[in-house]
Amino acid sequence: MCTSALWFVCLSLLFSTSLSCYQCFVDVQDSLRLCWGHILTEHNVRNVDACFRKLDRIFNNDQRVIQAGRVGKGYDKQLKEILDAEILPMAEEFDKKLNNDTVYEERLQTAADNFIAAASKLPRVSGCFPPCGFQSAGAVYNCITCQYDSCEFPLDCPVKEIKVTENSRTRMRCDVPFPLPNDIEMVWRFAEEVKTQQVDQFKEVTAGVDRLYSIPSASLQHQGTYQCEIYSGQRSIVRLYYYITGCCRPHRAAGDIRPVSTPRGVVTHCAWWSSSSLPSPPPTITASHRLFNCFAAATVPLLGGSALVINTTENKSC
């Protein structure tokens, strides 16, 4: 049996393997007052540690109590109020008084049932929005850990691919479907040419409170992955990714001639040759089944007496 000098040690040992709403909200001193007069009826002796084990069984190892405590953000205060209303009057009544273990069993079980009934009426979790982001507002209170669980989604969102055309205006918004704190800041970063989520490949381009990132006129230099990271204070909440592709490299059908941009911004006119749709290529053109090449100004005769004029600013491959 625990003596008064060892009560705190007994309490810590008995509750070390299992926590629940009782330990989260009931003060240790109130537990000691509650269990001071616990009598083992069979032996007619006072036994405090048996009372602690009873508390552990009724409150900490009952899944109904744990589930009742899984309330939404901010309602843990109400959980404490409900439990205090059940335990504190009993602790005051039992303090320095002897009571049989059967009395404790009945009264503690009634207190647990009342807690379950009242706590189950409190609002539940407000919801977790997949697939990414630290969502504190969507968390639930966990009586085993005495804190709120996060939604357990990764910080990084999947990459969203955006296909654009040359000279088009492109906008990206740093928006998420879940509530955000009021003191947020956005940092936009860019990884040129590649589709990636590797943090070390990005370079910061802008920071502030503006969720919108705009490209007025898309060109080849804008192709790559854009990352928007939302912060609240020093904590990162979510990272969104947008992969800009298709810029200045449109799909070309046989015989199609369109302007494209080289990496240096040099505009050329190119021809998509196909031996299946055109006559044998001119002698100056390397013969192959399909060639995509650029040539100096030239006139290529076609079937039916027509001609195809090909212009370019540089004599190079696209």
Side-chain angles (χ1 to χ4, degrees), residues 53-66:
R53 286 195 292 269
K54 199 183 303 292
L55 286 172
D56 192 44
R57 172 173 54 82
I58 293 176
F59 286 96
N60 300 341
N61 291 293
D62 189 334
Q63 286 299 316
R64 298 179 304 152
V65 174
I66 296 173

Side-chain angles (χ1 to χ4, degrees), residues 28 34-35 42 45 49-50 65 106 114 123 141 148 150 159 168-169 179 187 194 206 225 253 271 280:
V28 173
L34 176 66
C35 288
E42 182 180 357
V45 294
D49 56 341
V65 174
E106 180 181 352
N114 290 342
Y141 191 79
Y148 282 93
S150 70
V159 180
S168 64
R169 185 173 185 177
V187 177
V194 295
T206 183
T225 307
S280 298

Side-chain angles (χ1 to χ4, degrees), residues 93-286:
E93 176 186 348
F94 286 7
D95 189 21
K96 304 299 183 181
K97 296 179 182 178
L98 301 178
N99 290 282
N100 290 337
D101 52 9
T102 53
V103 175
Y104 274 89
E105 180 75 25
E106 180 181 352
R107 295 288 296 276
L108 290 176
Q109 188 60 61
T110 299
D113 292 340
N114 290 342
F115 172 82
I116 294 170
S120 297
K121 296 178 182 178
L122 294 176
R124 302 288 100 181
V125 58
S126 58
C128 293
F129 296 85
C132 54
F134 177 76
Q135 303 174 34
S136 59
V140 292
Y141 191 79
N142 190 336
C143 278
I144 297 177
T145 60
C146 299
Q147 61 185 357
Y148 282 93
D149 293 335
S150 70
C151 294
E152 299 182 352
F153 293 137
L155 192 65
D156 294 293
C157 296
V159 180
K160 180 180 180 181
E161 187 169 306
I162 302 177
K163 293 186 178 180
V164 302
T165 56
E166 186 177 15
N167 299 323
S168 64
R169 185 173 185 177
T170 303
R171 292 183 173 183
M172 294 164 283
R173 286 193 62 88
C174 201
D175 287 333
V176 291
F178 54 87
L180 292 170
N182 295 325
D183 60 337
I184 60 172
E185 178 185 7
M186 268 69 61
V187 177
W188 286 91
R189 302 181 181 93
F190 178 54
E192 188 174 359
E193 296 184 350
V194 295
K195 182 179 182 180
T196 182
Q197 287 183 300
Q198 296 183 17
V199 177
D200 59 353
Q201 295 193 34
F202 289 88
K203 295 182 179 180
E204 183 175 322
V205 292
T206 183
V209 296
D210 193 356
R211 298 193 184 192
L212 181 66
Y213 188 87
S214 179
I215 301 174
S217 180
S219 62
L220 191 60
Q221 64 182 350
H222 295 116
Q223 182 162 300
T225 307
Y226 292 81
Q227 178 203 79
C228 173
E229 187 165 8
I230 301 179
Y231 290 91
S232 176
Q234 299 298 319
R235 184 183 66 185
S236 179
I237 296 178
V238 65
R239 288 195 290 251
L240 293 87
Y241 296 86
Y242 301 92
Y243 177 55
I244 302 297
T245 184
C247 180
C248 313
R249 293 185 184 275
H251 173 73
R252 299 178 183 279
D256 190 13
I257 302 174
R258 303 180 189 175
V260 299
S261 296
T262 68
R264 296 180 178 273
V266 179
V267 179
T268 76
H269 287 71
C270 304
W272 179 235
W273 293 93
S274 172
S275 61
S276 63
S277 57
L278 293 176
S280 298
T284 56
I285 302 175
T286 303

Side-chain angles (χ1 to χ4, degrees), residues 277-279 300-308:
S277 57
L278 293 176
V300 180
L302 301 178
L303 295 177
S306 60
L308 174 65

